[in-house]
Amino acid sequence: MRIDQRQLAFALLGGMAGYTLVRGLLNIIFGDPLQMIVLTFIVSAIFGVATWLYWRGWEGARFLATAGVTLVVAFGLPLRQETLVLFTPLAFAVAITNTQWVVGVGLAMLVILLGRDIAEGAFDSVYASLAVGASYLVQVTVFAAARFALDTARIEAERNAAQAEATKAEIEERAAAIEQQRRELTEQNQRQQELLELVSQLETPAVRIAEGVLLAPLVGGIDSRRASKITSRLLELVYERRVNLVILDVAGVPVIDTAVANALTQTVRALRLLGCRVTLTGISSQVALTLTHIGIELHELEVAASPQEALQRWLSEQDTLARN
C-alpha cells in the first residue's frame, strides 16, 4: 500500500491530536503539575485544529501545527534539565514540512530557550552550555540534511513520474498516429484496388448489342499484361452472360504486330473453348498491309469490316437457322 505525503501528514496530525489528548487526561489522573497538564491540552488543541483544517484542504495546517508545537515546547521546557522533548518539533518539521522549516524550527527553539535564560538573568541553563548548543546545532543540521534528502528524492520521483507519463502519452499518441496511418493505408489500398478494377474494366469495355452478342472495342496499345487482362475479362463475361458471339473491334488499336496478333489468336482460342464464336472487326488497310508484310496469317480469326457487318451476318445466320 502506497502512502503519499498528504496521507502521512494527516495521520501524524490526527495521531498527535489523539495522543496528547489521552496524555493530558492521564496527567490529570496521576496528579501531574498543572503547567504540564495545560501545555499538553494546548498541544492537543493545536493538533486537533490543524487536523481539521488539513482535512478541509488547507496545506498551511502542517506549518501551523509545527509552529504551534515549537512555541509550546520552547516556552514549556525546563531550563535546568535537558530532555528529549526538545527534538519533538524537529521531528515533526522533518516529517511534514520542508528543509527551510526544519532549520527555522531548530534555530527558533535555541533562540527562545536562550532568550528565556537571559530574561531570567542567570544564563546558566543547560542550553547555554557551548557543548550542548553545538551538539544541538549538529542535530539540527542532521535533521535538515535528512529532510533535504527526502525532498530531493521526492522531487526526483515526481520528475521521473512526469517523464514516465509524458513518455506514455507520447507512445499512446504515436500508437494512435500509426493506427490512423494504417487505416488510411488500408482505405488507400482499397481505393487503389477499386481504381485498378475500374481501369481493368475500362481497358476492355464490353457492350451487349443483341441477344447473346457482345461487342468489345479495343482502344490503345496492347502488351502482354493487357492481353492477359482482356482474355480474363472476356472469358468471365462470356461465362456469366452465356454469350454466343464476341465481336472484337480493333479500330482503336494503333499498331497490330506479331505480339498483338498472337495475343488475339490466344484470346480467340480461349473463347472458343467456351463455345463462343469470335469475329474480328476494324482492321484498316494499313494494318492489313502491315500484317501481310510481316507474314502473319489470321486464318483462325473470323473477320468482318465493321461491328455492324458482323452483327448483321450473325443475325442472318440465326434467322436462317430459325427458318430451317
Side-chain angles (χ1 to χ4, degrees):
M1 180 179 179
R2 182 180 179 182
I3 300 178
D4 57 18
Q5 179 74 15
R6 179 173 178 79
Q7 292 173 339
L8 176 62
F10 185 77
L12 289 175
L13 291 173
M16 283 301 299
Y19 168 75
T20 50
L21 178 61
V22 173
R23 180 64 182 270
L25 296 176
L26 292 176
N27 289 339
I28 294 175
I29 294 174
F30 291 109
D32 291 332
L34 180 61
Q35 181 182 3
M36 181 179 296
I37 295 175
V38 172
L39 290 177
T40 304
F41 279 114
I42 291 175
V43 172
S44 178
I46 292 174
F47 279 112
V49 173
T51 302
W52 181 77
L53 292 174
Y54 197 64
W55 177 71
R56 296 297 298 264
W58 186 46
E59 290 294 327
R62 298 181 291 129
F63 305 98
L64 173 65
T66 304
V69 73
T70 299
L71 294 176
V72 171
V73 171
F75 284 103
L77 281 178
L79 297 179
R80 303 295 180 266
Q81 180 183 359
E82 189 174 0
T83 174
L84 292 177
V85 179
L86 176 70
F87 298 102
T88 300
L90 283 174
F92 265 89
V94 171
I96 62 177
T97 61
N98 52 39
T99 306
Q100 293 82 357
W101 267 77
V102 173
V103 175
V105 166
L107 295 179
M109 288 282 296
L110 186 59
V111 169
I112 292 173
L113 291 171
L114 293 177
R116 287 174 56 196
D117 197 9
I118 294 174
E120 292 181 0
F123 203 67
D124 58 352
S125 68
V126 294
Y127 305 107
S129 170
L130 183 61
V132 174
S135 176
Y136 179 75
L137 290 177
V138 170
Q139 296 298 323
V140 172
T141 304
V142 171
F143 278 112
R147 183 65 224 191
F148 178 78
L150 290 175
D151 289 340
T152 303
R154 177 181 56 81
I155 293 173
E156 185 67 22
E158 291 176 353
R159 183 184 299 112
N160 292 337
Q163 291 178 353
E165 288 295 329
T167 303
K168 180 181 177 181
E170 183 179 358
I171 292 174
E172 291 177 351
E173 183 178 355
R174 289 182 179 179
I178 292 174
E179 179 64 20
Q180 180 66 22
Q181 291 178 356
R182 187 191 64 80
R183 288 196 297 265
E184 292 177 355
L185 287 176
T186 301
E187 295 176 358
Q188 184 178 0
N189 291 336
Q190 184 177 359
R191 289 194 298 267
Q192 288 179 351
Q193 186 64 29
E194 293 174 355
L195 290 174
L196 289 175
E197 294 178 358
L198 178 61
V199 169
S200 177
Q201 294 178 3
L202 294 177
E203 283 183 340
T204 312
V207 182
R208 182 176 176 273
I209 59 176
E211 184 66 29
V213 180
L214 200 65
L215 172 62
L218 303 181
V219 180
I222 299 177
D223 53 12
S224 59
R225 182 197 64 83
R226 190 181 178 197
S228 177
K229 289 285 187 180
I230 292 172
T231 303
S232 299
R233 176 162 172 76
L234 291 178
L235 288 172
E236 181 181 352
L237 292 175
V238 168
Y239 179 78
E240 291 179 353
R241 302 182 185 182
R242 298 293 187 267
V243 176
N244 297 317
L245 172 64
V246 173
I247 302 174
L248 284 177
D249 185 61
V250 296
V253 179
V255 177
I256 296 181
D257 53 13
T258 305
V260 176
N262 291 333
L264 293 175
T265 303
Q266 295 297 328
T267 302
V268 171
R269 290 174 180 173
L271 293 174
R272 282 179 177 176
L273 291 176
L274 295 180
C276 178
R277 288 175 55 184
V278 180
T279 301
L280 188 64
T281 64
I283 297 179
S284 63
S285 57
Q286 293 182 353
V287 171
L289 184 60
T290 301
L291 294 177
T292 302
H293 286 169
I294 63 178
I296 295 179
E297 296 181 1
L298 302 177
H299 59 276
E300 295 186 12
L301 302 180
E302 184 178 337
V303 181
S306 65
Q308 293 82 356
E309 179 182 338
L311 179 60
Q312 290 176 0
R313 185 188 304 171
W314 167 261
L315 294 177
S316 298
E317 292 177 359
Q318 296 302 310
D319 186 56
T320 302
L321 290 175
R323 286 199 303 269
N324 292 337

